[in-house]
């Protein structure tokens, strides 16, 4: 007993030292640091399957997959072993002027599972860099083909593609992006396909997808000038899990085809089984010209992203050295072997463990656990595609009145969830659930029940 107390005291002392050092030196992303500095942080010390373990020894379900990227859980023997084996060979070598075993094997594995027609892989390190590459690739593709007026990009309001200047330009989340507007290149934004809060004031299905017509109008107004439409397929994640009506993505493909533009699908969040199929585009039978992936590519282990494209786009860049048709883009850690080894192992696990086959039962388990919220007076809508869930909290269900920004309704729910053993991270008033695909049905049930109890406790105080 005395030993236990000593151990607890030692853990507490260690936690306090680390928390103080965090407060002294770190600047956390997307975080109001003034508030952060006033709070005692959870300091994650280790992972164990789908649980995060903090410095005080508390175990919490990783309810948002460590920012939407974890697939198989933490400390997965097969991925750990692949990284260790790669470490025994080399940790990093460049793809500028050299090839590497790990990047070749990773690209092969990726193309094997990618939507048909995508055969070329350009590696980078983050979802944002994958988007930058997609934008520059689409732009240069048309320049090289002599279609020099195609310089413009169309994107969808509420979209999110990362935080670099190019990816913010095609992004459309006011709260995140407004400040930087003077730094961005102009992008034509079309209204969001948001059935719960339709920007056109219409209702699905009577609207006949008027939001898709709006996209086409943007193309018509800029005929012959659009290089690409950049879109998150099926679900706009960061704006609050906005699920598109069936057929919307197909319409986007048709519009791009009619207007000679490329379709860039950002599957950084939706890729690798997250929406129930390996890639979201499969559900609408859509073949993008460019596809970006990140997050779950390495199973959520290491920073690696990729921009995939077709032979047609690739061919535009071919020519003799002196033609300068080269794609002048790259990063120091492009195709990092450790990350590639993790990605290859993760993609093999997706296949070997038949992860996709198990998803319908898991989705059902989570949906069942969330059922008590279906008619809750402070839940406006539960949006779900695969294991991507957004629960929109509202002050009043009938009027859809929103909770005031400063109430931090979503944040209050996450604080309640922590007390109950789950780590969540909200998007404004939307409570997000993005569990690792490896979570069992029982664990998903627990996550759902914790979420219900946390919402009930939080809204009772708002
Ligand atoms: N694209 C989408 C759809 C995303 O959801 C995200 C991140 O949430 C990104 C791009 C940016 O990825 P990263 O944070 O790795 O730059």
């Amino acid at each position: 007993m005395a030993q236990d107390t000593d151990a607890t005291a030692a853990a507490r002392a260690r936690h306090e030292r680390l928390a103080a050092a965090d407060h002294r030196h770190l600047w956390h992303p997307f975080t109001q640091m003034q508030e952060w500095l006033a709070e005692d942080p959870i300091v994650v010390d280790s992972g164990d399957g789908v649980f995060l373990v903090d410095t005080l020894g508390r175990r919490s379900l990783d309810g948002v997959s460590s920012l939407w990227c974890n697939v198989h859980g933490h400390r997965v023997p097969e991925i750990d072993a692949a990284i260790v084996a790669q470490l025994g060979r080399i940790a990093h070598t460049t793809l500028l002027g050299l090839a590497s075993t790990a990047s070749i094997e990773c690209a092969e594995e990726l193309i094997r599972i990618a939507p048909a027609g995508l055969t070329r892989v350009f590696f980078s390190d983050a979802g944002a860099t994958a988007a930058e590459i997609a934008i520059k690739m689409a732009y240069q593709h048309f320049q090289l083909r002599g279609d020099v007026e195609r310089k413009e990009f169309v994107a969808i309001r509420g979209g999110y593609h990362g935080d670099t200047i190019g990816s913010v330009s095609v992004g459309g989340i006011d709260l995140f992006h407004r400040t930087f507007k003077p730094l961005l290149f102009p992008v034509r934004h079309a209204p969001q396909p948001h059935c719960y809060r339709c920007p056109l004031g219409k209702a699905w299905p009577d609207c006949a997808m008027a939001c898709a017509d709006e996209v086409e109008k943007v193309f018509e107004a800029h005929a012959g000038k659009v290089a690409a439409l950049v879109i998150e397929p099926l679900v706009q994640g960061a704006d609050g899990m906005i699920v598109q009506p069936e057929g919307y993505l197909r319409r986007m493909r048709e519009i791009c085809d009619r207007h000679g533009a490329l379709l860039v699908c950002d599957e950084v969040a939706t890729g690798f089984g997250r929406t129930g199929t390996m890639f979201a585009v499969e559900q609408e039978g859509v073949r993008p010209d460019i596809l970006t992936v990140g997050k779950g590519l390495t199973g959520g282990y290491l920073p690696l992203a990729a921009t995939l494209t077709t032979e047609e786009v690739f061919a535009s860049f071919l020519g003799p050295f002196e033609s300068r048709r080269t794609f002048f883009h790259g990063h120091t850690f492009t195709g990092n072997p450790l990350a590639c080894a993790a990605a290859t192992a993760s993609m093999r696990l997706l296949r070997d463990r038949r992860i996709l086959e198990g998803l319908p039962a898991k989705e059902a388990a989570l949906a069942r656990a969330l059922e008590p919220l279906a008619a809750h007076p402070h839940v406006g809508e539960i949006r779900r595609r695969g294991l991507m869930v957004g629960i929109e909290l509202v002050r009043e269900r009938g009027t859809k009145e929103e909770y005031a920004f400063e109430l931090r309704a979503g944040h209050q729910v996450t604080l309640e969830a922590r007390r109950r053993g789950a780590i969540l991270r909200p998007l404004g008033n939307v409570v997000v659930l993005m569990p690792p695909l490896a979570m069992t049905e029982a664990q998903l049930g627990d996550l759902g029940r914790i979420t219900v109890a946390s919402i009930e406790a939080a809204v009772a105080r708002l």
Side-chain angles (χ1 to χ4, degrees):
M1 190 66 190
Q3 251 178 358
D4 271 5
T5 316
D6 283 354
T8 313
R12 168 61 61 188
R14 178 168 173 257
H15 170 80
E16 281 172 7
R17 183 178 59 72
L18 287 165
D22 177 284
H23 280 174
R24 221 172 19 251
H25 298 304
L26 271 89
W27 188 340
H28 289 259
F30 280 96
T31 302
Q32 175 41 256
M33 289 304 289
Q34 183 169 309
E35 308 246 332
W36 177 266
L37 294 176
E39 288 168 6
D40 184 26
I42 289 184
V43 181
V44 174
D45 200 29
S46 61
D48 178 14
V50 297
F51 289 90
L52 298 172
V53 185
D54 69 19
T55 38
L56 297 175
R58 294 172 299 198
R59 289 163 60 83
S60 308
L61 282 167
D62 187 355
V64 286
S65 298
S66 294
L67 213 61
W68 308 3
C69 62
N70 190 280
V71 178
H72 307 286
H74 301 276
R75 287 183 29 230
V76 180
E78 292 88 339
I79 306 179
D80 290 3
I83 295 171
V84 171
Q86 184 58 45
L87 262 179
R89 292 197 283 275
I90 190 167
H92 183 62
T93 169
T94 183
L95 285 194
L96 276 70
L98 294 173
S100 69
T101 332
S103 65
I104 295 167
E105 286 171 0
C106 179
E108 274 185 324
E109 203 69 46
L110 188 50
I111 292 306
R112 202 167 288 145
I113 60 173
L118 299 171
T119 48
R120 294 280 164 184
V121 180
F122 197 103
F123 283 117
S124 62
D125 332 314
T129 54
E132 295 288 338
I133 290 161
I135 292 163
K136 289 170 78 176
M137 202 179 258
Y139 175 84
Q140 194 177 346
H141 161 73
F142 284 113
Q143 295 299 306
L144 291 171
R145 283 170 35 140
D147 206 345
V148 294
E149 291 306 312
R150 287 197 184 270
K151 297 176 181 169
E152 300 197 6
F153 288 82
V154 177
I156 310 296
R157 289 220 172 77
Y160 180 77
H161 306 284
D163 292 323
T164 52
I165 295 298
S167 56
V168 169
S169 296
V170 290
I173 301 185
D174 246 24
L175 175 66
F176 304 164
H177 300 153
R178 192 177 30 213
T179 310
F180 303 106
K181 197 138 195 236
L183 305 182
L184 310 179
F185 63 80
V187 168
R188 315 292 165 191
H189 280 93
Q192 187 175 34
H194 190 343
C195 297
Y196 180 64
R197 296 186 185 278
C198 177
L200 306 174
K202 297 187 185 274
W204 170 258
D206 295 343
C207 63
M209 229 188 288
C211 51
D213 297 337
E214 294 297 314
V215 178
E216 182 128 37
K217 283 182 199 160
V218 175
F219 273 78
E220 281 162 1
H222 302 275
K225 295 192 175 152
V226 179
L229 167 65
V230 183
I231 188 167
E232 290 168 83
L234 297 196
V235 185
Q236 286 184 309
D239 200 39
M241 301 296 156
I242 313 301
V243 178
Q244 295 155 13
E246 205 205 316
Y248 179 82
L249 185 64
R250 246 187 333 270
R251 288 282 301 275
M252 297 303 107
R253 175 73 269 182
E254 288 160 12
I255 292 168
C256 287
D257 287 345
R258 258 197 300 281
H259 294 270
L262 300 182
L263 176 65
V264 176
C265 289
D266 177 346
E267 294 240 24
V268 168
T270 53
F272 306 102
R274 179 53 65 185
T275 66
T277 43
M278 188 62 80
F279 294 99
V281 294
E282 293 168 31
Q283 292 182 38
E284 299 245 328
V286 161
R287 197 197 93 167
D289 301 290
I290 300 180
L291 179 106
T292 61
V293 293
K295 290 189 183 285
L297 170 58
T298 60
Y301 259 62
L302 286 165
L304 183 71
T307 306
L308 278 59
T309 194
T310 58
E311 287 304 307
E312 192 189 340
V313 170
F314 177 72
S316 301
F317 292 77
L318 299 179
F321 178 74
E322 59 278 15
S323 68
R324 296 179 176 82
R325 299 174 79 89
T326 304
F327 187 43
F328 289 108
H329 187 108
H331 303 276
T332 303
F333 289 105
T334 289
N336 170 262
L338 287 179
C340 284
T344 304
S346 175
M347 288 185 277
R348 287 181 182 155
L349 277 185
L350 276 169
R351 185 181 56 223
D352 296 347
R353 291 186 179 171
R354 300 165 174 261
I355 301 286
L356 297 187
E357 289 170 36
L359 289 180
K362 293 185 181 200
E363 292 162 19
L366 184 57
R368 254 192 326 274
L370 295 175
E371 255 163 31
L373 296 176
H376 194 285
H378 295 292
V379 171
E381 189 181 45
I382 303 177
R383 296 186 276 271
R384 196 169 62 76
R385 241 325 147 77
L387 287 178
M388 273 179 113
V389 182
I391 303 164
E392 181 163 340
L393 305 176
V394 287
R395 181 172 281 292
E396 215 192 295
R397 192 183 168 93
T399 60
K400 303 185 184 176
E401 187 195 342
E402 297 180 50
Y403 280 112
F405 182 72
E406 57 275 16
L407 285 177
R408 305 184 72 190
H411 181 64
Q412 300 305 327
V413 174
T414 65
L415 294 180
E416 291 291 343
R418 284 178 189 190
R419 291 186 199 115
R420 292 167 171 81
I423 300 294
L424 304 181
R425 185 174 166 83
L427 290 163
N429 292 334
V430 177
V431 177
V432 172
L433 300 180
M434 264 296 227
L437 306 190
M439 229 180 234
T440 63
E441 287 166 50
Q443 289 163 334
L444 288 162
D446 290 344
L447 179 66
R449 281 184 289 279
I450 289 173
T451 305
V452 172
S454 304
I455 289 176
E456 280 169 351
V459 298
R461 283 187 284 101
L462 287 171

